Amino acid sequence: DQQVKQNSPSLSVQEGRISILNCDYTNSMFDYFLWYKKYPAEGPTFLISISSIKDKNEDGRFTVFLNKSAKHLSLHIVPSQPGDSAVYFCAARDAGGTSYGKLTFGQGTILTVHP
Amino acid sequence: NAGVTQTPKFRVLKTGQSMTLLCAQDMNHEYMYWYRQDPGMGLRLIHYSVGEGTTAKGEVPDGYNVSRLKKQNFLLGLESAAPSQTSVYFCASGQGYGYTFGSGTRLTVV
């Protein structure tokens, strides 16, 4: 059972426009959510995160929104740049018991930003 | 400032062969993880460790073994490789809020 889902395998956006990447989760024990970015032939790198007690976190061009009632989070990139083209993974941390700190990842969304 | 180092970066194995993937971190993290990345499946947890001498199963542990004899090293072993284990393997270490990943090992089993 996939506890973290990214239902859009890919997204194509024009440079300068907004990119919106979505993520849904099912486990109410998740207390922290993260977005990772991955370029080809490299490991994922941390991008931005949000605690479950907040509904928004902003860092430059990147903003993450959390809707706990809908178990949904989204990553907004404004304005999008060609260098943002990468695979984006949503991840959630389980606060419960012996799995504390363990991250569960979504399937990833390939973002392509066209010049 | 190495972070997390994985060796080797590439490997081709024949079915039935064995190998060990090495992960080393220099950040003094307690927690270390092994993930595999497959198209459409995202990153799936194979095994993890919450400290030296400890290991635990993740989401897809079958066919793999791990050891954490030293805090800085986490080894992933394949005793008898199968084509289904063709994947990109990532090691990560983390403490609290988020991980640092290695650059990955691309393994092909033929």
Side-chain angles (χ1 to χ4, degrees):
Chain A
D1 181 32
Q2 191 99 28
Q3 296 187 62
V4 179
K5 293 184 181 180
Q6 294 175 255
N7 292 315
S8 297
S10 63
L11 176 66
S12 183
V13 172
Q14 204 69 28
E15 181 179 5
R17 298 290 185 99
I18 185 171
S19 295
I20 300 176
L21 294 93
N22 293 304
C23 179
D24 296 297
Y25 64 95
T26 58
N27 189 343
S28 299
M29 292 300 292
F30 289 148
D31 71 336
Y32 199 73
F33 302 89
L34 307 92
W35 284 93
Y36 280 80
K37 178 179 179 179
K38 184 187 178 304
Y39 291 117
E42 295 183 10
T45 55
F46 170 75
L47 185 59
I48 192 169
S49 62
I50 187 167
S51 166
S52 61
I53 62 173
K54 296 188 175 181
D55 55 18
K56 178 182 174 182
N57 187 29
E58 195 171 350
D59 183 2
R61 296 185 297 113
F62 303 91
T63 303
V64 57
F65 296 92
L66 176 62
N67 183 332
K68 282 187 68 177
S69 61
K71 292 191 174 67
H72 177 84
L73 65 156
S74 61
L75 173 68
H76 293 208
I77 306 173
V78 182
S80 301
Q81 300 174 353
D84 296 330
S85 297
V87 179
Y88 289 78
F89 290 102
C90 168
R93 190 184 77 164
D94 191 334
T98 57
S99 59
Y100 182 83
K102 183 161 61 72
L103 294 181
T104 301
F105 286 83
Q107 305 95 313
T109 297
I110 301 170
L111 174 65
T112 304
V113 180
H114 299 282
Chain B
N1 194 15
V4 178
T5 303
Q6 289 183 236
T7 53
K9 294 191 183 304
F10 303 94
R11 185 74 185 268
V12 178
L13 284 181
K14 293 183 179 179
T15 297
Q17 285 185 320
S18 64
M19 78 163 293
T20 300
L21 283 67
L22 173 64
C23 177
Q25 55 101 357
D26 61 2
M27 295 171 286
N28 202 36
H29 287 159
E30 292 292 339
Y31 298 171
M32 295 186 74
Y33 307 84
W34 276 106
Y35 284 86
R36 59 179 288 174
Q37 185 196 3
D38 302 291
M41 304 295 289
L43 293 162
R44 292 183 293 169
L45 183 64
I46 305 171
H47 284 281
Y48 64 102
S49 169
V50 298
E52 182 178 316
T54 74
T55 63
K57 293 181 180 179
E59 183 185 356
V60 288
D62 294 341
Y64 305 95
N65 57 75
V66 287
S67 64
R68 184 99 180 267
L69 299 180
K70 292 183 178 181
K71 186 178 184 178
Q72 63 267 34
N73 296 334
F74 195 28
L75 278 62
L76 178 70
L78 286 74
E79 290 187 347
S80 179
S84 62
Q85 294 177 304
T86 293
S87 186
V88 182
Y89 292 85
F90 288 100
C91 175
S93 72
Q95 197 112 330
Y97 300 91
Y99 302 164
T100 300
F101 281 87
S103 58
T105 297
R106 182 172 293 275
L107 175 66
T108 302
V109 183
V110 297

